[in-house]
């Protein structure tokens, strides 16, 4: 039996990766690069759809790729299902990091912000969450694979950043957004002060009904929270590098997630995602995603 198949069988019965690789390395099995197996490496091989002759399309559906099935699709699905429960926390963390999040990633159909939601196959994804009784949501009709969407957005953002007339404005644009965030924080503080005042007025029995007080109090609280949330969102741009980044592609590849998130916030006002035209696409089609570029003030005329 091929070692990866044996490894998959052991995994399916619940054997931890540490034990499986001890067996593999002991038998002299090595990775394709000739290295000893490590738990993370084996986990990512067994977790990749290619091992079962599958690929994941832009909506997170697993479909036959025509490639060889080292293990069966059924076994692959079982092993993937075990992942979230059994994998060590450290291995799972990067899976949950999203480049795109927040108010500017929206459903193209209903304009509701997309949430992070793993696909049925267990990989990272974004989804327009349908409304439930407790949580008002969106239409629930859009879902997209996060890797593919991130790749698409990164390509477009990097192409835009590579234009000299754009990169020349980065520092100024960043300062503008940070100033906007500071203004929002001021407004949030003002709302909080008004809320405090309101409480004092009510306590001094100014004739306000309890109901009116509660409504106004709630409103001010919501205002302050909304301003702060938007400020936090804009403040992501503080991680954007200013000055010369000679090789953007290289920078992007190695940049920390917060810096890349900042670049996206700086560049894009909105990312609207529409339903896939058909099942089975391995890339995100341009007509699925509408990018709205942020308009920066050109600054004082020179
Ligand atoms: Zn929607």
């Amino acid at each position: 039996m091929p070692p990866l198949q044996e490894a998959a069988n052991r995994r399916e019965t619940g054997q931890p990766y540490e034990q499986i690789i001890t067996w593999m390395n002991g038998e002299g099995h090595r990775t394709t690069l000739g290295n000893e197996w490590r738990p993370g490496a084996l986990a990512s091989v067994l977790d990749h759809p290619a091992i079962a002759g599958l690929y994941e399309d832009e909506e997170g559906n697993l479909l036959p790729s025509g490639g060889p099935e080292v293990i069966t699709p059924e076994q692959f699905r079982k092993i993937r299902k075990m992942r979230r429960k059994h994998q060590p926390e450290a291995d799972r963390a990067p899976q949950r990091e999203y480049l795109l999040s927040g108010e500017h990633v929206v459903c193209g159909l209903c304009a509701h912000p997309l949430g992070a939601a793993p696909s049925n196959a267990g990989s990272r994804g974004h989804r327009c969450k349908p409304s439930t009784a407790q949580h008002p949501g969106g239409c629930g009709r859009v879902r997209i694979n996060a890797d593919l969407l991130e790749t698409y957005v990164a390509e477009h953002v990097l192409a835009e950043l590579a234009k000299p007339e754009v990169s020349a404005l980065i520092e100024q644009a960043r300062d503008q957004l940070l100033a906007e965030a500071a203004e929002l924080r001021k407004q949030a503080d003002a709302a909080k002060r008004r809320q405090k005042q309101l409480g004092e007025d009510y306590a001094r029995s100014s004739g306000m009904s309890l109901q009116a007080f509660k409504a106004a109090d709630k409103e001010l609280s919501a205002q302050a929270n909304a301003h702060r949330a938007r400020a936090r969102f804009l403040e992501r741009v503080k991680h954007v590098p200013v000055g010369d980044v000679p090789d953007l592609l290289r920078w992007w590849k190695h940049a920390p997630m917060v810096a890349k998130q900042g670049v996206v916030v700086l560049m894009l006002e909105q990312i609207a995602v529409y339903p896939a035209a058909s099942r089975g696409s391995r890339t995100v089609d341009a007509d699925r995603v509408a990018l709205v570029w942020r308009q920066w003030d050109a600054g004082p005329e020179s």
Side-chain angles (χ1 to χ4, degrees):
M1 184 184 297
L4 280 174
Q5 210 173 63
E6 168 80 32
N9 290 346
R10 286 168 180 252
R11 183 67 195 135
E12 200 184 343
T13 62
Q15 202 173 97
Y17 281 116
E18 289 75 12
Q19 281 180 30
I20 305 176
I21 60 129
T22 304
W23 161 77
M24 287 181 94
N25 292 332
E27 293 283 305
H29 301 307
R30 294 292 179 266
T31 68
T32 45
L33 292 176
N35 299 318
E36 291 213 328
W37 284 96
R38 283 175 299 112
L42 180 61
S44 60
V45 167
L46 293 185
D47 200 47
H48 198 285
I51 196 170
L54 298 169
Y55 76 100
E56 203 170 333
D57 78 359
E58 54 178 329
E59 291 194 291
N61 305 303
L62 286 173
L63 302 168
S65 69
E69 291 181 15
V70 178
I71 66 176
T72 65
E74 290 69 38
Q75 192 172 30
F76 171 75
R77 281 174 219 273
K78 275 188 205 153
I79 290 172
R80 243 205 187 180
K81 251 191 209 142
M82 299 166 67
R83 175 177 68 179
R84 264 169 284 165
K85 269 189 286 177
H86 300 285
Q87 215 157 307
E89 194 63 22
D91 287 1
R92 283 166 44 187
Q95 274 287 324
R96 286 201 302 264
E97 263 197 314
Y98 284 82
L99 173 65
L100 308 171
S101 65
E103 55 178 69
H104 71 162
V105 188
V106 300
C107 171
L109 297 179
C110 71
H112 199 268
L114 296 184
S119 71
N120 295 331
S123 60
R124 296 179 320 127
H126 296 279
R127 182 176 177 220
C128 178
K129 286 189 177 138
S131 274
T132 61
Q134 289 91 1
H135 298 286
C139 67
R141 285 165 61 202
V142 168
R143 137 191 306 291
I144 191 163
N145 175 283
D147 287 333
L148 296 180
L149 179 62
E150 288 175 1
T151 302
Y152 179 90
V153 169
E155 273 171 13
H156 284 78
V157 163
L158 289 172
E160 194 65 17
L161 270 175
K163 297 176 184 168
E165 70 272 23
V166 172
S167 64
L169 289 175
I170 290 293
E171 186 162 3
Q172 190 189 327
R174 191 188 72 151
D175 292 347
Q176 256 175 43
L177 290 190
L178 288 176
E180 202 180 310
E183 181 55 37
L184 285 161
R185 292 219 174 256
K186 271 191 212 155
Q187 289 177 25
D189 292 345
K192 278 286 169 199
R193 277 196 303 275
R194 285 207 301 283
Q195 191 182 15
K196 190 164 170 260
Q197 185 64 48
L198 178 81
E200 285 166 8
D201 290 353
Y202 179 71
R204 250 186 273 118
S205 68
S206 56
M208 201 186 316
S209 72
L210 175 63
Q211 202 178 15
F213 162 71
K214 275 189 174 164
D217 182 71
K218 200 174 154 193
E219 170 64 25
L220 287 168
S221 206
Q223 264 179 32
N225 289 342
H227 287 323
R228 280 186 188 144
R230 172 134 182 95
R232 270 197 307 277
F233 173 73
L234 293 175
E235 279 159 4
R236 288 185 197 171
V237 302
K238 72 180 170 214
H239 303 289
V240 171
V242 290
D244 277 347
V245 178
D247 186 343
L248 268 177
L249 278 177
R250 202 188 156 92
W251 175 82
W252 185 266
K253 232 177 132 181
H254 302 285
M257 189 59 111
V258 281
K260 293 195 280 191
Q261 287 167 335
V263 169
V264 174
V265 170
L266 184 74
M267 300 294 292
L268 288 166
E269 182 93 43
Q270 191 180 71
I271 303 153
V273 183
Y274 294 84
S278 60
R279 264 168 76 102
S281 178
R282 291 170 196 241
T283 57
V284 168
D285 301 323
D287 55 6
R288 273 205 79 179
V289 184
L291 302 177
V292 180
W293 298 96
R294 201 179 282 286
Q295 300 295 318
W296 307 324
D297 294 344
E301 297 283 326
S302 52

